[in-house]
Amino acid sequence: MIRAVKGMRDILPPATGIWNFAETTAYSVFRAYNYQEIRTPILEETALFARGVGAETDIVGKEMYTFEDRDGSSLTLRPEATASVMRAYIEHRLDQLPGVKKLYYIGPMFRRERQQKGRYRQFYQIGGEAIGSESPLVDAEVIEMSVEILTRCGLENFQLLINSVGCPNCRPAFVELLRQKLSELAPKMCVDCQRRAVTNPLRVLDCKVPDDQPIIETLPSILDHLDSACAEHFHTVRGVLDHRGIVYEVRPRLVRGLDYYMRTTFEITHSGLGSQNTVLAGGRYDGLAESIGSKVPAPGVGFSMGEDRLVMSVEGTLAQTAEALVIVTFTAGEATRNAALSAAGQLRQAGIRVEVSEGKLKKVFETANKLNARLAVICGENEVAAGTVSLKDLAKQEQWTAPSGELLEQVKKCLNK
Ligand SMILES: [Zn+2]
Ligand SMILES: [Zn+2]
């Protein structure tokens, strides 16, 4: 038997209903903030991610699905979408469009990660990018919008963490300071930190190894080393969030290991997911365009959220949101069949979820029960002859008869109860 590839999975009904709900919710929030969809190819030239994500990252170093195409070129299944969005932005000169370019995407990403619970090698991200402005108002709006998506999806008790990672003007001095402190401390830390202390000292700050935490606590905070422009930018982001009533916590250790990230970084965590608790991460990436070869600057800020994790977190609370199902059934002959098909057609046009089922009533009710149907509409010979339909509320086990002309009204009344 052929099975799904290891680390990849089929997403089946009824779970797909929750995926649809999460995506529909995201679409409507994006629309409210004037974002438009961008769809980029799943395959890109490998060089895009090597430069745009960073050759030294785990993603590019160990986790990408990279292969040689038949013409010898190196292609990669996208491990994330920001680099692709920026490539499209540059390639199609979207900088020439007016205003801030606000783009969103929803789709699969691919990383050959170590197997662990809740991690898939094909996973889904919902993300937004606002490109073309350095204004802190845009950072705050992106944060507000991402909080709005999670809230409307029904996620509760999540925590928003924010920080500023400075800019090419103020960060190098801070990194140098870290490097000095770490030359002494790193030998007492984990192997990864020992390596990062040399290659990328900033990343020591987000080490998750418990034994390293007391040492990390003693390291200097980047917030004490921002230049005045970065401090002012962060101050405004915080001011807008405060004004909008968005609760956050400043986490000076929240950093990104890549040079093009600057100023605002943020993350949303949710305790329901155990140790894999980041649902969403984002930040400003003003240097990304240049790092993938653009001559035109394209300052941007964006976020991406793990749809797999979001769905996992809200699954329990959303189980009952499925729309009610109506079973339309007929007993024998062409006249009852036609009456049933007309009834089903009328209800479907009104947006009601309908299944047509033929056969003995007892059997039909058994099936209806298994399908969790809410209501049955019965078109029997007697009903058809009298110009009526019978309705049965399957939850209450009540049955009554109504003129066929009142079908839609009666069904709506019953479903709204
Ligand atoms: Zn700065
Ligand atoms: Zn460490």
Side-chain angles (χ1 to χ4, degrees):
M1 186 171 68
I2 299 176
R3 292 173 181 276
V5 174
K6 192 174 163 195
M8 308 211 175
R9 61 164 169 169
D10 301 302
I11 301 169
L12 306 169
T16 39
I18 298 168
W19 288 76
N20 294 155
F21 169 78
E23 287 163 19
T24 311
T25 303
Y27 289 138
S28 68
V29 175
F30 281 128
R31 194 163 46 240
Y33 284 83
N34 195 29
Y35 276 65
Q36 290 177 296
E37 186 177 13
I38 181 165
R39 296 192 188 196
T40 62
I42 280 169
L43 276 178
E44 297 273 4
E45 276 185 37
T46 304
L48 174 67
F49 303 115
R51 287 193 229 153
V53 180
E56 288 99 69
T57 57
D58 282 356
I59 298 176
V60 173
K62 302 188 243 177
E63 297 171 354
M64 292 203 307
Y65 283 95
T66 297
F67 63 95
E68 191 179 286
D69 200 3
R70 286 164 204 260
D71 64 1
S73 55
S74 179
L75 301 181
T76 293
L77 287 171
R78 63 181 186 190
E80 54 111 71
T82 303
S84 302
V85 171
M86 191 52 91
R87 184 217 22 88
Y89 180 93
I90 297 163
E91 184 173 337
H92 302 290
R93 293 306 310 264
L94 300 186
D95 60 294
Q96 295 181 328
L97 297 174
V100 181
K101 272 60 70 175
K102 297 169 161 186
L103 304 164
Y104 75 85
Y105 59 84
I106 297 180
M109 312 292 156
F110 303 83
R111 291 182 198 172
R112 204 174 190 292
E113 286 191 273
R114 200 166 49 80
Q115 292 257 290
Q116 47 181 312
K117 190 171 171 284
R119 288 269 184 148
Y120 300 97
R121 291 176 172 182
Q122 174 172 331
F123 58 100
Y124 294 78
Q125 285 188 340
I126 299 177
E129 316 287 355
I131 309 171
S133 168
E134 293 178 19
S135 168
L137 298 182
V138 180
D139 303 47
E141 190 184 82
V142 166
I143 295 173
E144 177 185 313
M145 179 175 70
S146 59
V147 166
E148 184 70 14
I149 293 174
L150 295 180
T151 307
R152 284 209 216 166
C153 282
L155 193 71
E156 287 167 349
N157 303 320
F158 56 80
Q159 197 182 15
L160 168 64
L161 311 172
I162 65 169
N163 191 28
S164 173
V165 291
C167 71
N169 178 48
C170 54
R171 190 166 47 206
F174 174 73
V175 172
E176 208 34 61
L177 178 67
L178 266 186
R179 203 187 296 274
Q180 279 171 24
K181 299 267 180 204
L182 286 169
S183 64
E184 205 183 303
L185 297 169
K188 297 176 206 154
M189 303 180 79
C190 74
V191 192
D192 285 336
C193 282
Q194 291 179 23
R195 181 171 43 80
R196 290 171 190 149
V198 181
T199 59
N200 196 344
L202 214 50
R203 285 210 55 208
V204 170
L205 295 175
D206 67 0
C207 172
K208 303 282 189 287
V209 174
D211 285 351
D212 285 0
Q213 302 311 309
I215 301 174
I216 294 170
E217 296 295 339
T218 69
L219 293 171
S221 161
I222 190 160
L223 294 178
D224 298 328
H225 296 85
L226 298 178
D227 56 20
S228 58
C230 287
E232 177 64 29
H233 192 276
F234 192 49
H235 180 76
T236 307
V237 172
R238 292 187 56 177
V240 175
L241 295 179
D242 289 336
H243 170 69
R244 298 291 298 132
I246 295 165
V247 181
Y248 59 85
E249 191 184 308
V250 176
R251 228 2 118 77
R253 288 169 46 187
L254 186 67
V255 292
R256 299 270 177 262
L258 302 174
D259 283 345
Y260 62 72
Y261 275 107
M262 57 182 277
R263 295 186 172 161
T264 315
T265 55
F266 61 100
E267 215 169 273
I268 292 179
T269 61
H270 184 254
S271 57
L273 296 170
S275 60
Q276 300 296 333
N277 63 357
T278 304
V279 185
L280 179 152
R284 179 165 276 287
Y285 46 79
D286 292 357
L288 173 59
E290 287 90 335
S291 76
I292 59 174
S294 174
K295 304 233 167 14
V296 188
V301 53
F303 75 91
S304 69
M305 67 173 78
E307 197 181 353
D308 302 71
R309 292 191 204 173
L310 173 63
V311 167
M312 224 190 296
S313 307
V314 298
E315 224 157 21
T317 50
L318 291 180
Q320 303 90 346
T321 59
E323 280 174 286
L325 176 67
V326 173
I327 299 268
V328 175
T329 181
F330 58 97
T331 46
E334 205 173 313
T336 62
R337 187 197 68 196
N338 288 347
L341 294 179
S342 301
Q346 191 194 0
L347 296 176
R348 283 169 174 160
Q349 280 207 329
I352 294 164
R353 194 157 70 101
V354 174
E355 182 67 41
V356 179
S357 185
E358 175 186 9
K360 291 221 163 56
L361 275 187
K362 189 165 171 280
K363 261 260 167 338
V364 169
F365 288 147
E366 270 172 29
T367 311
N369 205 16
K370 285 180 194 152
L371 294 175
N372 239 334
R374 180 80 181 72
L375 184 72
V377 173
I378 304 149
C379 304
E381 279 174 314
N382 295 341
E383 282 90 350
V384 171
T388 62
V389 286
S390 288
L391 295 102
K392 183 169 183 181
D393 185 320
L394 295 163
K396 294 182 181 162
Q397 292 293 314
E398 287 168 8
Q399 188 169 327
W400 69 99
T401 300
S404 352
E406 287 176 21
L407 172 68
L408 182 57
E409 195 188 318
Q410 295 261 346
V411 168
K412 278 185 172 170
K413 211 169 116 193
C414 182
L415 294 184
N416 286 338
K417 262 185 219 167

